[in-house]
């Protein structure tokens, strides 16, 4: 093989999980040409990975986006396409990519006519984490699945921004409160209670982060307003690269099922995940599953009358009130346990996992 095209347009968390695939390809197939077709926002995070050609597909451009892609790929043919997204839009993108081998999902995970756009499948592996699923896309090519290893190019300016937000004499706890789906979000009042607890009981420096979207800025403002203590609210003021740098230097992130949780896990920072609307064993922060507050089984029973074993892997429980199953006491208890484990005793420094390069 001399050339491979990767198709994964979104979202931030899933794109983060594709990075190990790129690194593994470069290691197992030295000199291979890698082209990654990616979404516009997602390219801001990984679009400067060394040795990779990025083609941005702007879904907001409508039909013109497909025409532009065909023009960019005119006269080219790839040895293989890794078709890593089953959404119908992505299937149409795959139809524009000339490749001899087109690898897609196994039958159980295929939907939206995905099977019509591939000629090979990844192994059917039940109850698999999303990261491991994407890592397995190398197997139909006779390669080893990608190990969990990440790298995000960050500038000195990105790191400088991060250091300006951090306290250097106490624990830095980042809260990223918003997921892409509102029903995955915890309430502002509960985030505020958690933040106050972290400051009052653990002398934490609490940093609120989020995108410039009006909803996320409003959420962070509501959390700050409901608090007795004062957080450091930088919601909407950082780039994805600056956020990645911040998370790489922070001590702990608190977040629901959202992209920053996967970025933090990738750079070696612990994540206290809040999960009721989705199963953390499938889509939780890969290296921090032990720190997730998991109320997914209770949400399934309450809203579907079923157990985890009775529903299809990946079933969502994004119902009104599902996240309310996670109490403030659940999260503060997990925070206490994390502090006790990461600090070996009074005055001992925090033993953080090594950062990704």
């Amino acid at each position: 093989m001399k050339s491979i095209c990767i198709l994964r347009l979104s979202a931030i968390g899933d794109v983060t999980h594709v990075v190990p695939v790129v690194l593994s390809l470069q290691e197992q197939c030295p000199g291979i040409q890698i082209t990654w077709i990616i979404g516009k926002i997602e390219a801001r995070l990984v679009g400067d990975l060394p040795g990779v050609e990025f083609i941005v597909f702007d879904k907001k451009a409508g039909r013109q986006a497909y025409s532009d892609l065909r023009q960019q790929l005119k006269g080219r043919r790839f040895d293989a396409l890794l078709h890593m997204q089953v959404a119908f839009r992505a299937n149409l993108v795959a139809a524009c990519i000339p490749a001899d081998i087109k690898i897609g999902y196994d039958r159980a995970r295929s939907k939206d006519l995905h099977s019509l756009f591939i000629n090979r499948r990844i192994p059917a592996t039940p109850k698999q984490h999303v990261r491991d699923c994407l890592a397995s896309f190398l197997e139909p090519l006779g390669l080893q699945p990608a190990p969990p290893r990440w790298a995000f190019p960050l500038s000195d300016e990105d790191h400088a921004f991060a250091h300006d937000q951090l306290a250097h004499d106490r624990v830095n706890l980042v809260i990223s409160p918003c997921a892409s789906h509102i029903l995955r979000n915890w309430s502002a009042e509960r985030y505020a209670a958690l933040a106050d607890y972290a400051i009052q009981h653990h002398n934490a420096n609490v940093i609120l982060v989020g995108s410039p979207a009006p909803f996320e800025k409003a959420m962070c403002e509501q959390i700050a307003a409901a608090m007795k203590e004062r957080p450091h609210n930088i919601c909407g003021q950082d780039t994805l690269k600056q956020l990645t740098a911040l998370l790489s230097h922070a001590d702990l992130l608190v977040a629901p099922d959202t992209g920053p949780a996967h970025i933090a896990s990738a750079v070696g920072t612990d994540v206290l995940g809040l999960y009721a609307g989705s199963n953390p064993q499938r889509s939780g922060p890969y290296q921090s599953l032990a720190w997730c507050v998991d109320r997914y089984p209770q949400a399934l029973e309450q809203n579907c009358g079923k157990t985890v074993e009775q529903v299809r892997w990946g079933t969502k429980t994004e119902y009104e009130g599902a996240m309310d199953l996670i109490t403030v006491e659940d999260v503060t208890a997990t925070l206490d346990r994390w502090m006790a484990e990461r600090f070996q005793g009074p005055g001992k420094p925090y033993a953080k996992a090594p950062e990704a390069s």
Side-chain angles (χ1 to χ4, degrees), residues 216-242:
E216 298 202 26
K217 294 180 72 173
M219 178 66 150
C220 287
E221 289 168 1
Q222 289 168 18
I223 293 170
M227 288 178 61
K228 298 175 182 177
E229 306 292 339
R230 178 175 294 182
H232 182 37
N233 183 4
I234 61 169
C235 182
Q237 300 174 32
D238 58 342
T239 66
L240 272 173
K241 290 287 195 180
Q242 290 169 338

Side-chain angles (χ1 to χ4, degrees), residues 165-224:
Q165 318 309 318
L166 298 167
H168 302 289
D169 58 349
R170 59 193 190 278
V171 168
N172 288 284
L173 187 155
V174 178
I175 297 178
S176 179
C178 296
S180 58
H181 198 305
I182 191 172
L183 292 177
R184 293 182 203 163
N185 293 339
W186 213 29
S187 72
E189 292 74 22
R190 295 189 184 192
Y191 276 121
L194 167 66
D196 279 335
Y197 182 91
I199 294 171
Q200 294 167 356
H201 290 262
H202 298 295
N203 192 31
N205 177 41
V206 173
I207 306 169
L208 303 178
V209 301
S211 80
F215 170 77
E216 298 202 26
K217 294 180 72 173
M219 178 66 150
C220 287
E221 289 168 1
Q222 289 168 18
I223 293 170

Side-chain angles (χ1 to χ4, degrees), residues 32 69 135 219 260 271 280 282 333 347:
I32 194 167
L69 179 61
M219 178 66 150
V271 181
R282 177 185 177 272

Side-chain angles (χ1 to χ4, degrees), residues 84-142:
M84 294 177 155
Q85 195 155 351
V86 296
F88 187 66
R89 178 187 292 111
N91 289 331
L92 294 180
V93 173
C96 302
I97 303 171
D100 297 327
I101 299 170
K102 293 192 173 187
I103 299 170
Y105 288 89
D106 57 283
R107 293 187 184 280
R109 287 177 279 198
S110 296
K111 62 180 181 180
D112 292 343
L113 304 179
H114 180 74
S115 299
L116 299 179
F117 300 89
I118 61 173
N119 53 30
R120 290 192 190 180
R121 297 182 183 275
I122 61 172
T125 307
K127 299 184 178 181
Q128 191 175 40
H129 192 282
V130 171
R131 194 223 72 88
D132 294 333
C133 171
L134 294 174
S136 73
F137 267 77
L138 299 182
E139 293 186 64
L141 297 174

Side-chain angles (χ1 to χ4, degrees), residues 247-263:
L247 293 175
S248 73
H249 295 292
D251 298 306
L252 179 68
L253 171 71
V254 176
D257 188 358
T258 185
H262 302 291
I263 295 174

Side-chain angles (χ1 to χ4, degrees), residues 56-98:
V56 174
F57 181 86
D58 185 2
K59 62 182 181 181
K60 292 183 179 179
R63 293 183 180 180
Q64 187 61 42
Y66 299 94
S67 177
D68 291 344
L69 179 61
R70 289 193 189 93
Q71 187 62 35
Q72 287 177 279
L73 297 179
K74 188 175 181 180
R76 300 178 62 178
R77 190 169 188 84
F78 299 98
D79 293 324
L81 166 66
L82 306 185
H83 184 2
M84 294 177 155
Q85 195 155 351
V86 296
F88 187 66
R89 178 187 292 111
N91 289 331
L92 294 180
V93 173
C96 302
I97 303 171

